[in-house]
Amino acid sequence: MTDTDADAAPDAGWFVGLPAAGDGDSARTRERIATGSADEPRDWPRLAVDAGFAETTDDYYDRLHDAALDATRETVRERERADDQQLVHAVRAMDDCERTANELAERAAEWAGSLFDDAEPGIDGARAVAEREPEGELERRAVSLAARVADLADERDALAETIDRLAPAVAPNLAEMAGPELAARLIALAGGLESLAKKPSGTVQVLGAEDALFAHLSGRAPSPKHGIIYTHDYVRNTRPEDRGSASRALAGKLTLAARVDHYSGERRAPLHDELRERMATIRARAEPDRDSDTDAEGDDE
C-alpha cells in the first residue's frame, strides 16, 4: 500500500507503506505517529507483521517506541523554539543578569574600596572603577571585575529592550494590558502563553505568590490577594482596602487577554476599555471617603 493509500485509509495503521528497515524514514514515521488516527483499536502488532513492516511483535513495539520518541523530540524542539518560549528565556536571563550583577557589585565595591579611596558602591560605582587605569596586578583584577559587573548590567538592559520589542508581537493584548515586562513574567511563571491562557483567573491572580499560597494552604497565613500583578499600577496605586477587588478585576482581564492572544492573536480593544472602566469604578469608592474627610475638616473649623 502506498502513502496515498495510507492517507485514504487511516484505519489501516500508521506503519502501512513504510519500509521494513527503519533507516532513513524517521521523518515519515514521525509524521505518521503525530498525525495518525484510527476509529477503533485493532491488532496493530499482528497487522504490522503481516504487512512486512516488522519481523515480530517485539520488533513492531521497538519501532513504535523509536518513532514515538522521534516525534516527541521534534515536538519539544519546535515548542522550545516558539516565540513565547524565547520570551521566557529572555526574561529569566534578564533576572539572572540583574541578580548576578548586583551580587558581584557588592564584591567589586568591597575590593575597590580597599584599593581606591573614592570607590562607590553599586552598579554605578562599578562602572566608575571599570574606567580606571590600573596599576599593578591587584588593581587590574579589581578593575576587570568591575568591568564584568558593568557588562552584566548592560546585558540586562539590552534584554529588557528585547522583551519590550518581543512581548507585543507574542502577546499583543497581554503586553498592552500588563506592560511588556509583566506580560513576559506572567508567561514565564505559567510556563508559556498556552499554559497561561488555560489557567483560571484566580490562579493568574496569585502567580508569583506561591510561597504565600502554600503557607495559607498549610494554615500558617491568610490567603494572598495578589502575586506579581501587584507591580501593576492598577493594583499598587489602589488603596489597600480595594486591592483585592483590583487584583481580581485585573487578573480576570489578563486571563482573557492571554486567551485571545493564544487562540487568535488579534488585539481586542473592548478588553482594555472594560478594564479601565472597572478600575475607575473601584477607585471611585475612595471618593465618598475623601468627601467625608473634607466635610469633617470643615465642621472642625
Side-chain angles (χ1 to χ4, degrees), residues 138-186:
L138 291 176
E139 287 192 5
R140 276 197 296 273
R141 297 277 59 83
V143 169
S144 177
L145 179 61
R148 299 300 180 270
V149 172
D151 289 343
L152 279 170
D154 290 340
E155 185 62 29
R156 188 270 175 211
D157 294 341
L159 285 166
E161 293 177 359
T162 297
I163 291 169
D164 286 345
R165 292 193 299 271
L166 182 59
V170 174
N173 291 286
L174 191 65
E176 180 178 343
M177 189 174 292
E181 185 173 321
L182 179 54
R185 293 189 185 283
L186 288 169

Side-chain angles (χ1 to χ4, degrees), residues 15-214:
F15 47 81
V16 174
L18 295 175
D23 297 336
D25 63 352
S26 61
R28 296 168 65 194
T29 57
R30 181 172 65 242
E31 182 181 359
R32 292 283 187 83
I33 289 293
T35 63
S37 64
D39 293 334
E40 60 185 15
R42 298 179 65 187
D43 188 0
W44 304 116
R46 181 184 61 78
L47 292 173
V49 172
D50 292 346
F53 173 76
E55 295 181 0
T56 65
T57 297
D58 289 342
D59 182 33
Y60 166 78
Y61 282 119
D62 287 342
R63 296 194 62 183
L64 174 62
H65 176 265
D66 292 341
L69 281 180
D70 196 18
T72 301
R73 290 191 187 99
E74 184 62 24
T75 299
V76 171
R77 187 178 299 112
E78 292 176 355
R79 185 71 188 95
E80 276 298 303
R81 292 175 180 172
D83 288 342
D84 65 327
Q85 291 301 312
Q86 297 303 309
L87 189 61
V88 170
H89 289 308
V91 73
R92 289 175 177 170
M94 181 184 71
D95 288 344
D96 289 342
C97 285
E98 183 172 1
R99 182 181 62 255
T100 305
N102 287 328
E103 291 176 354
L104 282 179
E106 293 181 11
R107 174 60 55 204
E110 288 184 19
W111 196 353
S114 70
L115 296 171
F116 312 113
D117 293 336
D118 56 347
E120 297 290 337
I123 301 295
D124 291 339
R127 292 187 189 278
V129 172
E131 295 175 356
R132 285 180 174 272
E133 288 294 332
E135 297 179 2
E137 178 64 16
L138 291 176
E139 287 192 5
R140 276 197 296 273
R141 297 277 59 83
V143 169
S144 177
L145 179 61
R148 299 300 180 270
V149 172
D151 289 343
L152 279 170
D154 290 340
E155 185 62 29
R156 188 270 175 211
D157 294 341
L159 285 166
E161 293 177 359
T162 297
I163 291 169
D164 286 345
R165 292 193 299 271
L166 182 59
V170 174
N173 291 286
L174 191 65
E176 180 178 343
M177 189 174 292
E181 185 173 321
L182 179 54
R185 293 189 185 283
L186 288 169
I187 291 172
L189 286 168
L193 181 58
E194 179 178 4
S195 178
L196 181 63
K198 292 179 178 179
K199 291 186 181 300
S201 62
T203 300
V204 174
Q205 182 178 340
V206 295
L207 279 177
E210 287 75 15
D211 290 344
L213 181 59
F214 292 148

Side-chain angles (χ1 to χ4, degrees), residues 226-244:
H226 42 65
I228 196 173
I229 64 172
Y230 175 77
T231 61
H232 197 288
D233 286 344
Y234 280 165
V235 180
R236 187 178 67 249
N237 292 333
T238 298
R239 63 178 187 165
E241 54 266 43
D242 290 330
R243 282 177 187 161

